Every structure is written in structure tokens, then in C-alpha cells.
Amino acid sequence: GERTQRSHFTRPLLLRVAAEVEVESADAVLPVVDRPGLVVDWQVRPDGEAPGFTLVAAARSISSADSDTHVWAAGEAASMQAIRKHCFDELDLPRSQTTIRGYWKPARD
């Protein structure tokens, strides 16, 4: 319940976490507890851009990764394919250091 969730968020981080979260509007940005080792960047997707646009851009801005890096990403299928390709082809990350899932596709007109 709520009590368990709160205690979970007050534990010290043992890892450094950087999260990119895409939302449709600034109204969807939620407050996040300020904690050492945690950086959350809220990305508002520009009007007319495909879901995942800002996440792909954020992933492509990463130019190197080391053996301690683990990429976890989930979202619209095509954007996750682009992130997966960047991780494997550009960052040379082994599959064991990634968890990338395309969960949905936009509805067709």
C-alpha cells in the first residue's frame, strides 16, 4: 500500500539513476522526491511528433557507456527499436545490459 511505497522511496540509492520520461504536456509532469543519485528529466513531446520522439533523441545524445551501464526502456514499439539500435550499434552495449520493450503501437487511421 501507500505506506510501503513511501518507505521504498526513502531508501538510499545504491546506484546512479538517470530517467527520461516523455509526456504529452507540461501538465503531466509529476513531482519527484529529490534524492542523491537520481536525475529525472521530463520531456514534453512537441506537437505533431511521434510518441517516443524525445526518448529517442535523449538516447541518441548518449555517446558512450561502460560495463556498469544498464538501459531500461519501455514504450511505443518503433521508438524502442530506435533506442535498441543505438544501444547495440553505437554504444556497443551487450544485450545483457539492456531491457528494452516496445509495448504498443499508435492506432492506424
Side-chain angles (χ1 to χ4, degrees):
E2 186 176 332
R3 185 178 204 168
T4 303
Q5 190 173 14
R6 280 191 191 148
S7 66
H8 172 74
F9 286 119
T10 59
R11 292 182 196 151
L13 286 176
L14 301 176
L15 302 171
R16 197 169 53 97
V17 176
E20 299 287 336
V21 183
E22 181 178 282
V23 293
E24 289 185 356
S25 71
D27 295 341
V29 174
L30 301 172
V32 177
V33 175
D34 187 24
R35 296 179 48 184
L38 173 65
V39 175
V40 179
D41 286 325
W42 293 87
Q43 306 291 332
V44 177
R45 184 176 64 242
D47 289 339
E49 293 296 346
F53 172 81
T54 64
L55 300 179
V56 173
R60 289 180 176 158
S61 73
I62 299 168
S63 60
S64 65
D66 60 28
S67 63
D68 290 331
T69 299
H70 188 91
V71 174
W72 185 95
E76 189 278 326
S79 63
M80 294 303 107
Q81 285 178 330
I83 290 170
R84 188 179 295 112
K85 181 173 176 44
H86 178 72
C87 288
F88 298 154
D89 296 352
E90 304 301 321
L91 300 179
D92 202 29
L93 282 172
R95 292 184 188 277
S96 62
Q97 287 179 236
T98 65
T99 304
I100 304 170
R101 303 285 185 258
Y103 280 108
W104 60 277
K105 294 182 180 186
R108 294 184 180 172
D109 293 330

